[in-house]
Every structure is written in structure tokens, then in C-alpha cells.
């Protein structure tokens, strides 16, 4: 135990001393600045308001009315990728050597098809997505807001290859190519999300308004991110720091008609001589959502988020301290509707009340992180140290309820201690330190160390998992080589994890036995990209991944109310080992963009829950006994195969069609049975008209149709899910003002009010349909 603490303390000391050394060195050096200009390549006219940024330094600025810009507080040496974006033009970038460059000129070409953004997720250095050997998709805040989704993961679920495991309107967990839960890593402020994500009804604790851009890496990313990135990575990126000597802010607000969702967020940030700061506060409140024909009782939620950033952007790099507090109060549903579709004891009026009844969740999540990029020698020392505390309480219907003698608590629900079910406190310390040497004659080597120390404590009246401590550490090396027509990369990694569970007594009975498990693994990957022609890029990647069993899979022994089942773990489970091959082909021209990706993922020791012989356990439920199905965690060798395709083309300049297709098939290799939680095949079409209107910019009108095929391959405890089709629509525009532009939009989801159930909905077993028609009106105002 002392050795583990020593490693963590040592890493903090190393990070601090490295930063201190870099700061001392940099103070004696003159700060460098680069001037530049952004022009239209065809007309040579200046482009005012273009965004210029260096992702690796978290620096950004905008061009003035003459198209000119200045990047200040730059280091005196080093190679960095500078990117420029401007609406209606292809994003462009230049790799610059600060030893040699004094001025820049970016000639931008008009774009009919949107070009790919710079991505950070796939490699230690920023780079074009075409140079990533893994499949990467990106989306922006503007596009996320237009979806009218209840939360961030629901909005991301509209991207090909990405789905959501949902529990009503409030809770959504990401699933990438059929893998979710602890197999998908969510990165927030550079820190891996740790919020008891093994639970099906444990959502991501992040402010959706903080997502300026989201990058999704599809496929095993264990090499750079560790154990839980077996299925992919979701990297949530906040706003860039404004230019030196400037400040900015924004106010967002929207309203959804289906569940009365009111969402608002206020943000302000600035950069005063390299001292940078940001503050954001957000609030969401919704009553019960309405499926076609009936409101679903106690499905409302409240969410409050407060976050901040303070740090330095100097010639030696940057160091940012971020902190946040997320609070969620979410109603839970344990029983489905009556035969006529109504819910016993509830009417439409009561459903619109915003107070919650038992059962419900009350979650508070604290996150603090120190992110730094210190320029040392010929490379960059990047470090992230994080601390998270997740406080999860679930209040249940125990025995009986008498609301006449209860008072509403500060959480918005009714409870006394007799209604307390699960209460857990999870503390997580994470570290990620890597040294990356940038572009030495085309070579980009990186070496790093990552790890985490966790403790979990039960303080409730019910138990699902035991108290435990966990320690893991990983070492990796990664090498990328760029050449004229592409790139290749190779890497290797070693991981070790120790999970120590403590004995827990329930009265005179042993509820959880103690165990001490150790896991280790070597993994690696290799990939390349090659430009077959000016417009065609081929990519391939082969790699192995590793995931140690989580505490729920090893030690569960209790009722998991959000999943409607009693779960029993197995402390003898082995780690999952993945071997995946990815192939991709991209074509782009002036009027057409085409992408095809295919993958084959073989996972040994795949962990999943099964139900044997219709086993049940009886549990008191309000005024009657309730039978809960029993599920046990087991292992089997599995195979997932599938892919995604997209085709975008413009009929005329202002009218274009976007189409996407995704499919995944999961199979138990021993029994040949389908795997659970595999999304149905999906086909999406969207037509977008972007007229040019006087005094307005970014105007659009769009309609989309999403066809979800019948899921007739399902696990033994699942049922077939019928096919369905959903029509969405949106209209929006932006009004230019001195401080930027005011964005307004109106979107509609499920216009046909279709009665359907998504195969990954956790309400499917009790017959609750997904939300019906919804209209969302929103506005974004720059400050």
C-alpha cells in the first residue's frame, strides 16, 4: 500500500519539478510571436473571423478584418501543427518549425464537402484524421445542440457506429461497435471518467455544454489509454482558451416540449497576459417524458454543473487546473404500464410535476485535474493528474410509504433513512505522464506511464458490490513515422492491476467474501495509412487490447434495481483479451465524400451476465413480494464483426445529402449464440439545404430519416426488437454581431410520434416505449 502511494507522490513531484525547471528556463527566453494572414486562394481577398489554433499548446486566435492574426506567447523552438478553420472553406493546416517561421499565409479553398477536423484522440500529437490508422469521427457543439437530445451521450448516439444504452431520458451510456460499459473510456478534462460506470443505469457525469468538440476513436485503444479502452474512446474537449489579452463568454438556453426539459448554461473565459481562466454553470430540469400515448411516471430529472479553470499559457507550454461539481437527481422506474398502456395511480397532470418519488438516484461527482504540456529538449512532457469523488445514493421503495408523514428533502425526493438503499463513495486518483518527441525527420516517438488508485466504501443499507481498493499501472512506447504519402505506427504496452476486495458482514452473515486478484498483460498494435491517390486514403490497423474484470463482475451480490435483476459476480474471472483488425477507405472530391470501415474483433474471456434456469429471488416491494431474476457473470470467447459506411454528396452547392450505415454482429464462439447488448443495424439519410440569406449566416433547413432494422439476433434473456423509422427535422441560423454571432435553432425529434423501443433501452424488459414527438427551441448568445 505504501509503495502505491509512493509512486503517485513521485509522479506529482516529477511533474512539478519538470514544470518548475521549464518555467525557470523559459523566463530567460524571449517570448516568440508569429504574424500571419488568412486569404481566399481564388480571389486573394482577406477572410476576417477565421479561427487559428495550435491544439498542442491550447492556443487560439482569430483573424481581423484584414485577415491578419498574431499568435503570441509561443516557445522559441519546436514543431507544431497550426490549423485554420473558416465557414464555407476547407480546413487547412501547416506543420511549422518555430526556429524558422516568422510569418504565415494560409490560402483557403472554398468547400462544398466539409473536410475532416484536426483530431487529438488517436495519437500523442495533433494530426489530420486521414493520418490516423484507426477510425475516428468528430462532432461539434453546434451539431450536438441541433439534435435536441436530453444528454451528451444521446446526441452522440446519432453518429455511425455509436449507440447508447439508455435508462429513460436522463441516463445514457456509450456503446461503440457493440461494446460499452467498462470497455469504452470517456475522457473529460484529459482525465478518464470514473463514476461506477460498470452499472447499466450509471450515466456519464459530464456537463454537455462543456463539449465544444467530441472526438470518438472506434476500436481498441488500450495502447495509449489503458485497460478500459478495449472498445474505444470518447474524448470530450472544452473550448479553446481565447487569444492573449481577450475574453469571451456565451449563454445557452433551450426548451424541449416532450418532458419540459429546460437547459441553460453560462460561460465566461479570458486570457490576461497568459493567466487564463474559465467559469461555467449549467442547469437542467425535466418532468416525466411522454412515450406515444402515456407519460412515464417518475422519469424526470434535475442536473446542476459548476466548473472552472485557472492556469498559465506561456512560452514554455501550459499548465491548467480544472475542477467541477456535477449533481444529478434522477427518478427510477421499477414497473411497466398496465395492459391498456396507462400507469396505475398516475395521471397526465401529476406527471408534469418536477418533484421525484422513490425510487431515485442522487449523485454528486467531483473532478479536479492538473493538465500540463511542458516543452523540454526536443519534445513535450505532457502530464495529467486527476482526482475524482463519486457519491452515489439510491433510495428505494422499502416496505411501505406514507408520503403524508414525509417531507421533501434537499434532493427533491421523499425519503428517510428507511428508504435508503445503495450508498457508495468512490475515490479515484489517476495519472498520465508521457514524453513525446515531435517530428524528428518524420519520426514521432512517445513513452509514457499511466495508472490509477481507487477506493470504494459502502455506507448504505443495501449492498451490490463490496468495499475494495484497486491499483493499476501501465507503461507504453509508441512510434509513428510520417512519409510523403502516408504514415505508419507501432507500439507496445504492459499493464498490471491489483484489486483487493474486503469482507463485508450483513448482520451475522458474510455478504461478500474477501479476495485479492492480480492481473497483468502485454499488448501492442501496428497500423498504417497510405494515399492511394490525391483523393483516396487507405488505412489499416491490427492490435490487441486488455481489460481486467471490474468489481461488479468479480464481486456483485445484490439487487441492481436499475437493471431489474439480482447480480452475482465471480472472483475467478480472467481478463478479457482482444485481437482486432480495422480496415478503412476514404474518398473525397469536390462534390462527393465516401468512407467505408470494416472491423473484426475477437475477444477471449468475454465477460457477460446470463440467467440460468429462470432463477429468481424474492424481495419485499412496497406492500407485496416481488420476484427478481438472478443473473450471474460468466465468460466465453466471442467475436464481433461489422463496419460503417458514409456517403455525402451535393446535388447543387447549397443542397446536399448525407447517408450513413452501421452494422455489428456479436457471437459467442463456443455456443454460436448472439451476444447481449448488440445494437440493431442502422441506416440514416439526411438532406440539408443551406441558403444564403441577407444579414444571416450558417442558415440551414434539414430533414433526416433513421431506419433501425429488426434485431432478431438476441441473447437468451433478451427478446426480438421490431424495426422502426424515425423522422427528425431542424431549422436554424446565425445573426452576426460585434462579439460573434447569435445562433438560434428549432429542431424536432420523432415527428411521426412513432411508438418504438430501442434494443438497448433498459426499459424494454418492462414494456416502456422510448419518448415520442419532441420539439426543441434553443439559442446561443456570445458575451
Amino acid at each position: 500500500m505504501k509503495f502505491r502511494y509512493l509512486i503517485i507522490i513521485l509522479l506529482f513531484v516529477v511533474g512539478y519539478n519538470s514544470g518548475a525547471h521549464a518555467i525557470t528556463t523559459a523566463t530567460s527566453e524571449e517570448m516568440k510571436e508569429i504574424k500571419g494572414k488568412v486569404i481566399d486562394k481564388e480571389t486573394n481577398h482577406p477572410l476576417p473571423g477565421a479561427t487559428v489554433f495550435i491544439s498542442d499548446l491550447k492556443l487560439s486566435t482569430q483573424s481581423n478584418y484584414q485577415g491578419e492574426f498574431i499568435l503570441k506567447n509561443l516557445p522559441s523552438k519546436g514543431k507544431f501543427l497550426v490549423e485554420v478553420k473558416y465557414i464555407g472553406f476547407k480546413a487547412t493546416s501547416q506543420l511549422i518549425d518555430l526556429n524558422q517561421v516568422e510569418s504565415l499565409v494560409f490560402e483557403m479553398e472554398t468547400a462544398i464537402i466539409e473536410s475532416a477536423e484536426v483530431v487529438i484522440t488517436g495519437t500523442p500529437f495533433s494530426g489530420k484524421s486521414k493520418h490516423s490508422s484507426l477510425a475516428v469521427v468528430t462532432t461539434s457543439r453546434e451539431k450536438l445542440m441541433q439534435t435536441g437530445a436530453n444528454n451528451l451521450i444521446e446526441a452522440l448516439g446519432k453518429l455511425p457506429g455509436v449507440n447508447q444504452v439508455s435508462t429513460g431520458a436522463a441516463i445514457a451510456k456509450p456503446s461503440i461497435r457493440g461494446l460499452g460499459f467498462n470497455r469504452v473510456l470517456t475522457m473529460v478534462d484529459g482525465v478518464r471518467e470514473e463514476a461506477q460506470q460498470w452499472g447499466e443505469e450509471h450515466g456519464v457525469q459530464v456537463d454537455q455544454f462543456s463539449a465544444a468538440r467530441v472526438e470518438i476513436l472506434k476500436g481498441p485503444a488500450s495502447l495509449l489509454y489503458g485497460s478500459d479502452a478495449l472498445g474505444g474512446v470518447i474524448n470530450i474537449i472544452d473550448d479553446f482558451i481565447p487569444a492573449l489579452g481577450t475574453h469571451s463568454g456565451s449563454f445557452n438556453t433551450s426548451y424541449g416540449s416532450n418532458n419540459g426539459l429546460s437547459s441553460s448554461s453560462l460561460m465566461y473565459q479570458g486570457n490576461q497576459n497568459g493567466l487564463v481562466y474559465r467559469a461555467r454553470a449549467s442547469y437542467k430540469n425535466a418532468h416525466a417524458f411522454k412515450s406515444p400515448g402515456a407519460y412515464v411516471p417518475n422519469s424526470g430529472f434535475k442536473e446542476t454543473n459548476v466548473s472552472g479553470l485557472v492556469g498559465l499559457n506561456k512560452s514554455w507550454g501550459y499548465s491548467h487546473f480544472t475542477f467541477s461539481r456535477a449533481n444529478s437527481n434522477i427518478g427510477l422506474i421499477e414497473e411497466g404500464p398496465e395492459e391498456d398502456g396507462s400507469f396505475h395511480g398516475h395521471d397526465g397532470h401529476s406527471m408534469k410535476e418536477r418533484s421525484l418519488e422513490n425510487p431515485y438516484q442522487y449523485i454528486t461527482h467531483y473532478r479536479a485535474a492538473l493538465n500540463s504540456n511542458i516543452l523540454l529538449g526536443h519534445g513535450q512532457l505532457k502530464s495529467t493528474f486527476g482526482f475524482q469523488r463519486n457519491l452515489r445514493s439510491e433510495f428505494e421503495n422499502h416496505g411501505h410509504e406514507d408520503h403524508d408523514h414525509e417531507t421533501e428533502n434537499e434532493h427533491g425526493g421523499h425519503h428517510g433513512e428507511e428508504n435508503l438503499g445503495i450508498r457508495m463513495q468512490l475515490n479515484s486518483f489517476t495519472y498520465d505522464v508521457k514524453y513525446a518527441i515531435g517530428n524528428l525527420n518524420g519520426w514521432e516517438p512517445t513513452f509514457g506511464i499511466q495508472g490509477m488508485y481507487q477506493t470504494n466504501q459502502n455506507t448504505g443499507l443495501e449492498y451490490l458490490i463490496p468495499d475494495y481498493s484497486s491499483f493499476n499501472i501501465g507503461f507504453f512506447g509508441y512510434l509513428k513515422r510520417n512519409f510523403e504519402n502516408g504514415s505508419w505506427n507501432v507500439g507496445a504496452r504492459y499493464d498490471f492491476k491489483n484489486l483487493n476486495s474486503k469482507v463485508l458482514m450483513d448482520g451475522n452473515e458474510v455478504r461478500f467474501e474477501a479476495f485479492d486478484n492480480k492481473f497483468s498483460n502485454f499488448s501492442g498494435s501496428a497500423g498504417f495509412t497510405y494515399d492511394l491517390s490525391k483523393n483516396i486514403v487507405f488505412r489499416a490497423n491490427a492490435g490487441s487490447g486488455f481489460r481486467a474484470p471490474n468489481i461488479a463482475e468479480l464481486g456483485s451480490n445484490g439487487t441492481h434495481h436499475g437493471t431489474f435483476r439480482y447480480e452475482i459476480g465471480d472472483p475467478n474471472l480472467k481478463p478479457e483479451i482482444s485481437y482486432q483488425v480495422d480496415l478503412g477507405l476514404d474518398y473525397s472530391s469536390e462534390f462527393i465524400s465516401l468512407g467505408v470501415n470494416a472491423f473484426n474483433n475477437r475477444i477471449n474471456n468475454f465477460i457477460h451476465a446470463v440467467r440460468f434456469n429462470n432463477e429468481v429471488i424474492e424481495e419485499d416491494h412496497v406492500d407485496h413480494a416481488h420476484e427478481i431474476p438472478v443473473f450471474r457473470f460468466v465468460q466465453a470467447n466471442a467475436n464481433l464483426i461489422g463496419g460503417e459506411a458514409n456517403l455525402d454528396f451535393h446535388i447543387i452547392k447549397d443542397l446536399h445529402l448525407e447517408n450513413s450505415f452501421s452494422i455489428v454482429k456479436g457471437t459467442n464462439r463456443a455456443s454460436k449464440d448472439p451476444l447481449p447488448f448488440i445494437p440493431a443495424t442502422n441506416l440514416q439519410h439526411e438532406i440539408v439545404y443551406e441558403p444564403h440569406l441577407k444579414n444571416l449566416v450558417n442558415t440551414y433547413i434539414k430533414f433526416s430519416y433513421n431506419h433501425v432494422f429488426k434485431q432478431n439476433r438476441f441473447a437468451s434473456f433478451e427478446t426480438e426488437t421490431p424495426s422502426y423509422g424515425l423522422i427528425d427535422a431542424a431549422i436554424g441560423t446565425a445573426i452576426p454581431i460585434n462579439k460573434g454571432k447569435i445562433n438560434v435553432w428549432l429542431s424536432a425529434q420523432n415527428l411521426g410520434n412513432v411508438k418504438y423501443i430501442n434494443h438497448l433501452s433498459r426499459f424494454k424488459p418492462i414494456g416502456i416505449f422510448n419518448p415520442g414527438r419532441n420539439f426543441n427551441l434553443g439559442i446561443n448568445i456570445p458575451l
Side-chain angles (χ1 to χ4, degrees):
M1 185 71 70
K2 293 181 179 178
F3 175 69
R4 298 168 184 173
Y5 281 116
L6 181 62
I7 288 180
I8 296 172
I9 293 171
L10 223 98
L11 287 167
F12 272 98
V13 172
V14 169
Y16 174 79
N17 286 338
S18 299
H21 171 73
I23 294 170
T24 303
T25 304
T27 53
S28 61
E29 297 180 357
E30 182 179 353
M31 294 182 181
K32 186 180 181 69
E33 65 177 43
I34 290 180
K35 296 181 180 180
K37 191 170 185 178
V38 184
I39 61 174
D40 185 326
K41 183 177 181 179
E42 184 177 346
T43 65
N44 284 330
H45 290 162
L47 297 177
T51 301
V52 184
F53 56 91
I54 304 177
S55 296
D56 285 330
L57 295 176
K58 292 190 182 294
L59 288 175
S60 70
T61 189
Q62 284 193 330
S63 59
N64 59 23
Y65 283 103
Q66 287 75 43
E68 300 169 341
F69 66 87
I70 301 177
L71 287 168
K72 300 180 180 180
N73 266 6
L74 295 173
S76 59
K77 59 183 179 180
K79 295 180 180 180
F80 299 92
L81 190 70
V82 182
E83 188 181 21
V84 182
K85 291 173 59 181
Y86 193 76
I87 295 295
F89 288 76
K90 296 179 181 178
T92 185
S93 63
Q94 292 184 30
L95 181 66
I96 64 169
D97 188 338
L98 295 178
N99 278 321
Q100 302 174 4
V101 174
E102 296 295 334
S103 62
L104 295 168
V105 176
F106 288 93
E107 297 179 336
M108 304 196 71
E109 301 179 43
T110 56
I112 305 225
I113 297 288
E114 292 186 24
S115 58
E117 296 184 45
V118 166
V119 296
I120 304 172
T121 305
T123 61
F125 292 98
S126 300
K128 288 284 187 182
S129 60
K130 65 181 288 186
H131 295 152
S132 172
S133 60
L134 285 174
V136 179
V137 294
T138 67
T139 188
S140 63
R141 173 184 285 129
E142 291 74 19
K143 290 186 177 180
L144 292 170
M145 293 299 178
Q146 292 170 15
T147 65
N150 289 278
N151 55 69
L152 177 61
I153 303 303
E154 181 183 337
L156 295 177
K158 299 181 182 298
L159 298 173
V162 183
N163 292 273
Q164 58 158 334
V165 179
S166 64
T167 306
I171 303 172
K173 299 180 66 65
S175 172
I176 299 177
R177 291 177 166 178
L179 296 177
F181 306 98
N182 281 81
R183 300 181 182 96
V184 171
L185 198 62
T186 301
M187 304 293 293
V188 184
D189 296 332
V191 177
R192 52 182 291 163
E193 167 92 348
E194 290 297 327
Q196 309 279 15
Q197 61 266 32
W198 44 263
E200 294 173 17
E201 84 291 8
H202 300 173
V204 176
Q205 302 299 310
V206 61
D207 183 357
Q208 72 180 78
F209 292 100
S210 68
R213 187 169 80 255
V214 180
E215 301 167 351
I216 301 173
L217 189 154
K218 295 184 285 188
S222 298
L223 175 66
L224 294 178
Y225 292 95
S227 169
D228 288 355
L230 189 74
V233 176
I234 294 178
N235 192 12
I236 300 169
I237 302 171
D238 211 326
D239 294 89
F240 278 113
I241 299 298
L244 192 70
T246 65
H247 53 83
S248 61
S250 65
F251 174 70
N252 286 271
T253 188
S254 64
Y255 179 80
S257 63
N258 182 281
N259 59 351
L261 175 60
S262 176
S263 305
S264 297
S265 182
L266 181 65
M267 185 275 289
Y268 189 78
Q269 62 179 359
N271 184 341
Q272 188 65 37
N273 195 30
L275 175 64
V276 299
Y277 55 88
R278 178 188 299 126
R280 176 182 281 109
S282 305
Y283 179 72
K284 294 165 64 177
N285 191 332
H287 58 66
F289 75 85
K290 186 178 184 181
S291 60
Y295 282 95
V296 178
N298 207 42
S299 60
F301 63 93
K302 298 176 184 178
E303 183 180 308
T304 304
N305 290 276
V306 180
S307 62
L309 175 149
V310 62
L312 294 173
N313 275 41
K314 294 293 185 178
S315 60
W316 45 263
Y318 68 83
S319 185
H320 296 164
F321 176 71
T322 59
F323 51 92
S324 64
R325 179 185 185 273
N327 178 260
S328 301
N329 189 13
I330 304 169
L332 298 175
I333 301 96
E334 293 185 318
E335 296 182 344
E338 306 290 336
E339 291 185 3
D340 63 357
S342 64
F343 288 86
H344 179 69
H346 294 85
D347 55 40
H349 176 73
S350 64
M351 301 288 193
K352 293 187 178 181
E353 294 181 2
R354 295 180 183 257
S355 60
L356 299 177
E357 301 174 347
N358 294 321
Y360 69 95
Q361 297 178 351
Y362 184 74
I363 307 135
T364 304
H365 189 84
Y366 299 93
R367 180 186 293 108
L370 179 64
N371 293 278
S372 301
N373 186 5
I374 310 299
L375 307 181
L376 290 176
H378 295 287
Q380 304 173 33
L381 178 64
K382 298 184 178 183
S383 63
T384 300
F385 299 96
F387 170 74
Q388 296 172 80
R389 171 167 291 173
N390 184 265
L391 305 172
R392 173 175 292 274
S393 298
E394 297 186 7
F395 295 89
E396 313 293 349
N397 288 325
H398 289 298
H400 69 278
E401 289 185 310
D402 184 0
H403 285 193
D404 293 335
H405 299 286
E406 293 179 336
T407 58
E408 186 172 0
N409 65 15
E410 61 178 349
H411 303 164
H414 301 273
H415 78 274
E417 283 300 307
E418 70 275 8
N419 295 116
L420 176 63
I422 294 171
R423 178 178 286 165
M424 298 180 290
Q425 177 176 305
L426 177 67
N427 294 329
S428 304
F429 302 86
T430 58
Y431 54 91
D432 179 356
V433 181
K434 50 182 168 280
Y435 185 67
I437 302 173
N439 223 308
L440 288 175
N441 298 319
W443 297 90
E444 293 181 355
T446 302
F447 305 94
I449 178 174
Q450 297 168 337
M452 176 172 62
Y453 178 71
Q454 277 187 331
T455 61
N456 182 77
Q457 182 181 10
N458 286 282
T459 59
L461 303 178
E462 293 184 358
Y463 313 103
L464 177 57
I465 60 172
D467 295 347
Y468 74 92
S469 63
S470 174
F471 171 80
N472 61 276
I473 189 169
F475 305 90
F476 71 90
Y478 175 85
L479 180 64
K480 184 176 182 181
R481 178 71 165 93
N482 297 304
F483 54 92
E484 184 177 356
N485 294 321
S487 66
W488 61 261
N489 63 82
V490 64
R493 181 184 181 102
Y494 172 76
D495 283 281
F496 171 81
K497 180 173 183 176
N498 178 210
L499 195 152
N500 183 275
S501 169
K502 301 175 182 179
V503 65
L504 192 149
M505 304 295 294
D506 188 2
N508 295 323
E509 297 183 2
V510 177
R511 181 64 175 274
F512 298 103
E513 297 280 359
F515 58 84
D516 187 8
N517 289 5
K518 295 179 176 65
F519 309 98
S520 62
N521 183 72
F522 284 97
S523 57
S525 73
F528 73 94
T529 65
Y530 186 73
D531 298 337
L532 298 176
S533 69
K534 179 182 178 181
N535 298 326
I536 302 176
V537 178
F538 174 76
R539 61 168 58 90
N541 194 86
S544 62
F546 159 78
R547 184 184 77 88
N550 62 49
I551 186 62
E553 294 162 340
L554 292 169
S556 287
N557 187 14
T559 301
H560 201 174
H561 291 277
T563 61
F564 317 108
R565 65 195 194 191
Y566 192 100
E567 297 179 351
I568 300 176
D570 180 357
N572 298 313
L573 293 175
K574 300 176 182 179
E576 294 180 341
I577 307 295
S578 166
Y579 303 95
Q580 178 162 319
V581 175
D582 278 89
L583 299 175
L585 189 67
D586 294 324
Y587 169 81
S588 61
S589 66
E590 185 177 3
F591 295 99
I592 296 176
S593 173
L594 170 67
V596 180
N597 293 283
F599 66 91
N600 187 2
N601 190 2
R602 295 175 69 86
I603 303 178
N604 294 338
N605 306 320
F606 182 81
I607 302 171
H608 57 291
V610 298
R611 186 183 182 192
F612 295 104
N613 302 320
N614 294 321
E615 184 181 3
V616 298
I617 189 171
E618 286 196 355
E619 182 179 89
D620 290 339
H621 182 76
V622 187
D623 58 354
H624 64 278
H626 190 64
E627 288 190 344
I628 304 291
V630 176
F631 284 76
R632 299 176 184 270
F633 287 101
V634 299
Q635 290 188 295
N637 294 336
N639 189 72
L640 292 98
I641 186 170
E644 304 91 32
N646 64 275
L647 172 62
D648 303 344
F649 59 92
H650 279 250
I651 301 173
I652 58 176
K653 182 177 180 181
D654 298 332
L655 183 67
H656 60 102
L657 298 175
E658 299 179 4
N659 309 272
S660 66
F661 175 80
S662 60
I663 183 173
V664 59
K665 178 182 178 181
T667 305
N668 183 319
R669 300 207 311 261
S671 66
K672 307 303 179 184
D673 293 329
L675 296 180
F677 301 114
I678 300 299
T681 301
N682 183 277
L683 178 63
Q684 298 186 60
H685 307 282
E686 184 173 85
I687 182 167
V688 184
Y689 177 55
E690 298 172 327
H692 295 273
L693 303 179
K694 186 177 180 181
N695 299 324
L696 298 175
V697 295
N698 305 342
T699 303
Y700 63 89
I701 303 171
K702 64 181 181 180
F703 291 89
S704 65
Y705 177 74
N706 182 16
H707 181 79
V708 179
F709 290 79
K710 178 174 65 175
Q711 181 55 289
N712 54 11
R713 300 188 79 256
F714 48 89
S716 59
F717 62 88
E718 297 178 321
T719 57
E720 183 176 280
T721 303
S723 65
Y724 56 89
L726 303 175
I727 298 175
D728 294 351
I731 182 171
T733 192
I735 306 168
I737 60 174
N738 290 335
K739 296 182 178 181
K741 54 189 178 182
I742 299 174
N743 290 284
V744 293
W745 66 89
L746 173 65
S747 63
Q749 297 76 44
N750 192 6
L751 266 175
N753 204 32
V754 175
K755 194 173 185 178
Y756 74 99
I757 297 183
N758 186 284
H759 188 69
L760 300 187
S761 170
R762 302 320 309 135
F763 286 163
K764 186 173 183 284
I766 57 175
I768 296 178
F769 291 89
N770 283 70
R773 184 185 298 113
N774 178 62
F775 293 96
N776 183 275
L777 177 65
I779 185 171
N780 170 262
I781 304 173
L783 303 176

